Amino acid sequence: MKDLFGKAILDYQTNNAHEDLITETSISEEDVMSVAYLFRSFEEMPLIEEKALELAKGKVLDIGSGAGSHSLYLQNEKGLDVTSIDISANAIECCKLRGLKNAIEIDVLDLDADATKFDTILLLMNGTGIFGRLEKVPAFLQKLKSLLNPGGHILIDSSDIIYMFDEDEDGGKWIPSDNYYGEVTFTVTYKNEKEDSFDWLYLDYNTLQNACFDNGLKCELIEEGEHFDYLARLSIE
């Protein structure tokens, strides 16, 4: 990966002539994303993200921390012990420049569950996206479960993107039958350079709930957003 998403974040933080990101998926056309959105304050966040941060407690793991806005709020405003991780070296450098005390470039699957555990695990801004494909969900859920302290919880959001598919005359949806409809391929372009495409997963709540049940996790619907999105809380049964 060229880490273009992280480069955009670091450019914005260091005032290095940042530009908008251009995103495109296998089921949608090009869209413009302002990098500034990743640096939003608590008051500028969607209700789902605000609710997740309000519920965060104890020792926190922020997975896919990006520019670090969620972590900063928890560290500076709530005084929590936050570990922020991302696979983007540039994003982690930005997090450090913004004052995060414990920002690490690492894949969550590479974390040592025997070395440290957490009371809250955050996966926000379509947190299920990092699962990539439906078949990988069990492995990720088992990993997240292994990182939880007793009484801890996982706060994760996603969207049901069924609305993006055309309806037939009977009100049914035209959905490709060869794979789960929430599996998309993502491409990011920044400063006229295109990133390698990567898998990204949007998970409807019922599918997440069933996967949690199969992997020994309780799943609760905490909040629903305005754009077919939702916040769920997972905990060990």
Side-chain angles (χ1 to χ4, degrees), residues 13-209:
Q13 173 64 27
T14 57
N15 295 313
N16 184 30
H18 72 276
E19 298 179 8
D20 289 335
L21 287 156
I22 308 297
T23 63
E24 185 178 4
T25 78
S26 51
I27 60 169
S28 62
E29 298 178 351
E30 286 188 354
D31 193 19
V32 177
M33 178 181 182
S34 171
V35 185
Y37 180 70
L38 303 174
F39 290 77
R40 60 199 179 281
S41 65
F42 178 83
E43 291 74 21
E44 296 170 322
M45 292 178 189
L47 176 62
I48 277 178
E49 292 177 25
E50 291 184 348
K51 184 65 175 180
L53 297 184
E54 289 169 357
L55 291 172
K57 62 181 182 179
K59 190 173 183 179
V60 179
L61 175 65
D62 183 8
I63 300 173
S65 55
S69 296
H70 300 127
S71 294
L72 277 172
Y73 176 80
L74 295 177
Q75 174 186 282
N76 297 345
E77 302 302 323
K78 293 189 68 171
L80 298 180
D81 177 0
V82 184
T83 299
S84 313
I85 66 170
D86 204 296
I87 60 172
S88 164
N90 286 317
I92 291 301
E93 178 63 22
C94 170
C95 287
K96 292 176 179 177
L97 290 173
R98 295 186 77 190
L100 283 173
K101 298 173 183 177
N102 193 16
I104 305 168
E105 178 196 350
I106 192 172
D107 188 312
V108 62
L109 294 177
D110 294 329
L111 283 179
D112 184 356
D114 294 326
T116 185
K117 296 188 187 295
F118 302 89
D119 304 299
T120 299
I121 298 176
L122 282 182
L123 297 99
L124 299 179
M125 291 191 71
N126 190 50
T128 65
I130 66 167
F131 301 167
R133 301 187 65 81
L134 189 62
E135 64 193 34
K136 296 182 179 179
V137 171
F140 274 94
L141 291 181
Q142 288 295 332
K143 183 64 179 188
L144 296 175
K145 183 179 175 182
S146 74
L147 292 167
L148 274 183
N149 274 326
H153 60 187
I154 301 159
L155 300 169
I156 186 169
D157 68 349
S158 193
S159 299
D160 185 351
I161 61 171
I162 190 71
Y163 71 92
M164 297 185 68
F165 294 87
D166 294 332
E167 286 191 2
D168 60 25
E169 295 179 355
D170 298 324
K173 293 287 187 177
W174 288 98
I175 301 172
S177 59
D178 54 345
N179 63 306
Y180 172 65
Y181 68 84
E183 294 177 343
V184 303
T185 303
F186 229 96
T187 306
V188 173
T189 302
Y190 182 63
K191 291 185 175 179
N192 297 317
E193 188 175 2
K194 182 170 284 191
E195 181 65 270
D196 299 333
S197 297
F198 55 92
D199 292 331
W200 195 248
L201 181 64
Y202 292 93
L203 207 55
D204 71 276
Y205 178 71
N206 285 339
T207 301
L208 173 63
Q209 190 177 42

